[in-house]
Amino acid sequence: MLAVFDKTVAKCPDALQSPHSAPATSVLKDGFLANHLASLHPGSVTVNLGTSGLIAYSLDKQNPLLPRLFAVVDDIFCLFQGHIENVAALKQQYGLNKTANEVIIVIEAYRTLRDRGPYPADQVVKDILGKFVFVLYDSTSKATFIAADADGSVPFFWGTDSEGNLVLSDDVQIVQKGCGKSFAPFPKGCFFTTSRGLRSFEHPMNELKPVPRVDSSGQVCGSTFKVDAETKKESAGMPRVDSSYNWSSNY
């Protein structure tokens, strides 16, 4: 799986940038990374998101226990990998029919959060039990919603290219191809949104602090992020507004 977002859509943390970054190549130019994925996995599918970026995936060589799923509902694009354990409970919670699968559940959870916001965003992700990562893009509001489970069960990496564009993939070599050393494992138990950046859904009241990584050659790579037990956020809640309000700017 692969997702690339223009820096105007998803501003990645500055700490992902390594002083030993990749050559001055834009991962979005001429479908650079999508073409690389296709060369590794013939038959891969690329969904062009216009100036916002792209999503690409292949069903080739996937783990049958952690399958990849893709869906589009009302201009919301979602790429999901993994398995949700409490599917039945979430279908009931979001009023979905019996045929809905994991990727549809994530889209509906996001849409409920965006349009009605009955719970904080961290609780919405925390309610999803299982082994998973997902990348969601709402083309209406040009918003991203990205998350990984609390155990880091599915390999998932993120990085930034020389122009500040965000790259996400379950294949570390694909991320390295576009980002050089400016990458890191996506933090487990965390979610990233266009409006709020990176946050922990396990510890929503705590800030996250970057911890620089050093590779075997001694060069600094992109940082990992750890929950800072000493630093608390001012507020983890959201303002109460009427149900017609678009929550996408506040989650």
Side-chain angles (χ1 to χ4, degrees), residues 157-189:
F157 305 89
W158 66 338
T160 176
D161 71 357
S162 58
E163 296 187 350
N165 300 311
L166 181 63
V167 178
L168 304 112
S169 179
D170 60 340
D171 187 332
V172 65
Q173 293 183 342
I174 289 177
V175 178
Q176 287 176 309
K177 180 77 172 178
C179 305
K181 295 185 181 297
S182 295
F183 81 97
F186 189 88
K188 60 185 180 180

Side-chain angles (χ1 to χ4, degrees), residues 127-243:
D127 283 346
I128 302 173
L129 305 179
K131 300 178 178 181
F132 66 87
V133 298
F134 65 77
V135 179
L136 180 148
Y137 173 70
D138 182 348
S139 63
T140 302
S141 57
K142 291 192 174 182
T144 60
F145 193 29
I146 302 157
D149 71 56
D151 296 323
S153 307
V154 181
F156 197 40
F157 305 89
W158 66 338
T160 176
D161 71 357
S162 58
E163 296 187 350
N165 300 311
L166 181 63
V167 178
L168 304 112
S169 179
D170 60 340
D171 187 332
V172 65
Q173 293 183 342
I174 289 177
V175 178
Q176 287 176 309
K177 180 77 172 178
C179 305
K181 295 185 181 297
S182 295
F183 81 97
F186 189 88
K188 60 185 180 180
C190 291
F191 67 103
F192 176 89
T193 65
T194 293
S195 58
R196 293 290 183 89
L198 184 68
R199 300 164 68 188
S200 167
F201 62 80
E202 286 198 297
H203 305 279
M205 294 300 294
N206 293 91
E207 297 283 358
L208 292 166
K209 62 179 180 181
V211 180
R213 298 188 310 125
V214 178
D215 67 11
S216 58
S217 63
Q219 292 187 323
V220 177
C221 302
S223 298
T224 56
F225 290 82
K226 305 293 184 183
V227 172
D228 187 350
E230 304 299 322
T231 308
K232 299 286 186 179
K233 293 180 180 291
E234 290 184 8
S235 172
M238 288 191 269
R240 290 185 175 275
V241 293
D242 72 82
S243 60

Side-chain angles (χ1 to χ4, degrees), residues 46-67:
T46 298
V47 180
N48 194 324
L49 303 175
T51 58
S52 297
L54 61 88
I55 289 175
Y57 66 96
S58 170
L59 302 182
D60 180 42
K61 298 179 182 178
Q62 65 176 333
N63 183 338
L65 299 179
L66 301 171

Side-chain angles (χ1 to χ4, degrees), residues 35-52:
N35 291 336
H36 180 60
L37 175 68
S39 70
L40 298 174
H41 304 284
S44 63
V45 177
T46 298
V47 180
N48 194 324
L49 303 175
T51 58
S52 297

Side-chain angles (χ1 to χ4, degrees), residues 83-98:
H83 173 70
I84 295 177
E85 296 171 0
N86 59 331
V87 164
L90 292 174
K91 284 181 185 179
Q92 183 176 18
Q93 179 176 332
Y94 293 112
L96 293 168
N97 61 41
K98 293 181 179 180

